[in-house]
Amino acid sequence: MQAIKEQITLIANESDAARQQAMSTLQDLLFSFETTEDTIHRYGHMNLQTAIVQVGINLGLFKYLSQHEKPLTVDEISEKSGTDPQLMVRFLRFLAAAGAVHETGKDQYVANHVTHNLSDRAVEAGISHYFSTAAPPAQSLPAFLEQVGYRNPVTETHTAFKLAFDTDLNAYAWFGQNPAQLNHFNTYMALRRKPDSTWLSVYPVAVEAAGWPSEKPLYVNIGGGVGHQCAQFREKYPNLPGRVVLQDLPHSVAQALPTPGVENMAHNMLEPQPVVGAKFYYLRAVLHNHPPHTIRLVLENMKAAMGPESVLLIDEMVFPESGVNFNTASIDMTMLSVFASMERTEAQWRLVFEDVGLELVRTYTYYQRNYESVMDVRLPRAK
């Protein structure tokens, strides 16, 4: 068995794609061994695992274990976290059974690979976001879908999110009244991806912008938050002429990064676009948060502002037609429950653009694991 394990490890270490394939194959093998009782407990206790991991994050348990190479006793861990030792025994016993820590003996535990993952700040923020914000709508999804007759939801005024939190607010307004949850989300979004895995690594910006007049706007980032994408754009292309503009709602722009060469502009994308004739209009992970009628309005506003040489860059996940992986399929279910929105295949995106008189010219994939891609969309070319 050890030889088989070592051989699989060698294969998984060849590349990220090989690692993903190995995990998928081993998971399928594991599931094929399950009895009905195993399947009941695997699905039935999923929420419990997340809840106990969240407790561990709240207590700083994973960070503390990760700081020590040798096993720690329950008493040591309890004293550090200010927790009742009897309660800590029960928590650690469960976490060891779930693979989140390693049990070395009676009342002794040490960090394993998963423990170190759980001590990472991005992982802490991500799990806290999913547990506090995404999980309640998922729990309400069966009742919600029964209410709507199992129809694909298309309006943000009626969602599983609103049912879960008993609120009339949409998710954006709700976040404004729940700063702790907003902080989890913002921290996770800021830390979850490596800096070099962006659209700038695949899209030919310099080629497309060659000869662009300095008096005309170059790059407008709509819904750009505090300006991370604008900062990356200016860092990579400091000498390209033309205005670089960050647009978002006033509360986001008020906290924008002080990036030289970036103009900060408060703007609601549901209103007409004030910057006309820019070379690049860029929206990253914006459209997938909205139902069809809102997407149409945003694209119509973009189209009205575009000139003959403008490019609308839509940075989203572009699903394959089959074989979508678990992580991204889960995000699609989150879009369903929270926003009455969806992730799409390239064919589906193409129809969205054609519906407002725009043309998808080419799709550039830059992060294959999550199908993250930037789509080059333009005014229709003359036939």
Side-chain angles (χ1 to χ4, degrees):
M1 190 68 71
Q2 182 62 31
I4 294 173
K5 179 181 176 181
E6 290 175 357
Q7 185 176 1
I8 293 172
T9 301
L10 286 174
I11 293 172
N13 287 337
E14 290 177 0
S15 67
D16 186 63
R19 182 183 67 84
Q20 291 287 319
Q21 183 60 52
M23 289 176 63
S24 178
T25 302
L26 289 171
Q27 179 177 266
D28 289 345
L29 180 63
L30 177 64
F31 293 167
S32 74
F33 296 153
E34 284 189 348
T35 65
T36 54
E37 193 74 10
D38 293 329
T39 301
I40 290 171
H41 288 291
R42 177 164 63 87
Y43 284 116
H45 292 151
M46 278 184 178
N47 288 347
L48 182 60
Q49 286 193 48
T50 311
I52 302 304
V53 166
Q54 182 66 63
V55 172
I57 290 172
N58 295 345
L59 293 174
L61 175 63
F62 305 112
K63 283 189 179 298
Y64 183 54
L65 284 169
S66 295
Q67 291 167 358
H68 297 81
E69 294 183 3
K70 296 181 178 180
L72 298 173
T73 66
V74 167
D75 287 340
E76 290 173 320
I77 299 168
S78 298
E79 182 179 357
K80 177 66 176 180
S81 62
T83 307
D84 173 19
Q86 187 175 11
L87 180 63
M88 182 56 70
V89 167
R90 299 171 71 185
F91 277 139
L92 288 168
R93 182 169 57 204
F94 179 90
L95 289 169
V101 300
H102 180 61
E103 184 178 21
T104 59
K106 182 179 183 299
D107 293 342
Q108 291 193 343
Y109 296 87
V110 70
N112 61 17
H113 176 75
V114 176
T115 313
H116 288 286
N117 283 349
L118 290 169
S119 71
D120 182 86
R121 187 178 171 217
V123 176
E124 288 184 335
I127 290 176
S128 297
H129 162 65
Y130 283 118
F131 182 72
S132 65
T133 303
Q139 193 79 15
S140 296
L141 192 57
F144 170 76
L145 290 175
E146 186 174 9
Q147 285 181 10
V148 300
Y150 297 95
R151 305 281 184 179
N152 206 34
V154 293
T155 173
E156 68 273 32
T157 60
H158 192 198
T159 61
F161 176 90
K162 292 191 173 187
L163 181 63
F165 291 108
D166 190 22
T167 179
D168 290 329
L169 301 174
N170 63 32
Y172 300 104
W174 182 87
F175 267 133
Q177 296 187 6
N178 292 271
Q181 283 82 356
L182 179 60
N183 181 61
H184 293 322
F185 175 76
N186 284 338
T187 302
Y188 177 46
M189 290 297 105
L191 298 177
R192 71 189 180 102
R193 183 182 299 121
K194 297 178 181 179
D196 60 345
S197 297
T198 76
W199 70 282
L200 292 169
S201 64
V202 296
Y203 189 79
V205 170
V207 173
E208 291 289 344
W212 189 251
S214 60
E215 67 274 11
K216 297 181 69 174
L218 172 67
Y219 172 84
V220 183
N221 182 194
I222 302 97
V226 298
H228 290 290
Q229 294 293 322
C230 284
Q232 290 178 12
F233 184 88
R234 262 300 173 220
E235 181 180 4
K236 182 153 187 176
Y237 298 105
N239 299 319
L240 282 182
R243 294 163 59 200
V244 172
V245 182
L246 166 68
Q247 292 181 343
D248 211 313
L249 296 174
H251 67 270
S252 292
V253 172
Q255 302 179 44
L257 303 173
T259 305
V262 174
E263 175 185 341
N264 300 323
M265 178 185 296
H267 171 64
N268 184 339
M269 65 183 176
L270 302 182
E271 301 294 330
Q273 172 57 242
V275 182
V276 177
K279 179 59 186 178
F280 303 114
Y281 293 96
Y282 175 79
L283 294 90
R284 176 176 179 269
V286 170
L287 297 186
H288 81 148
N289 289 336
H290 295 281
H293 68 94
T294 304
I295 292 176
R296 182 182 179 88
L297 177 57
V298 172
L299 292 177
E300 287 176 338
N301 286 336
M302 295 295 97
K303 180 183 175 183
M306 293 170 69
E309 298 180 11
S310 296
V311 181
L312 177 59
L313 297 170
I314 304 297
D315 191 338
E316 295 279 357
M317 288 195 292
V318 179
F319 277 12
E321 293 293 341
S322 63
V324 173
N325 65 49
F326 177 79
N327 291 347
T328 52
S330 300
I331 293 172
D332 182 48
M333 289 296 97
T334 301
M335 296 299 104
L336 168 71
S337 60
V338 176
F339 297 110
S341 60
M342 62 186 290
E343 305 297 344
R344 292 173 170 84
T345 65
E346 184 177 62
Q348 289 173 317
W349 278 116
R350 190 179 301 278
L351 289 176
V352 168
F353 301 133
E354 289 177 353
D355 189 47
V356 295
L358 292 169
E359 179 182 357
L360 173 56
V361 175
R362 182 174 173 182
T363 299
Y364 298 82
T365 299
Y366 62 85
Y367 195 59
Q368 184 62 52
R369 186 196 306 175
N370 285 357
Y371 319 121
E372 295 188 54
S373 309
V374 64
M375 291 172 279
D376 181 319
V377 180
R378 310 193 186 206
L379 297 173
R381 293 169 288 186
K383 300 294 185 180

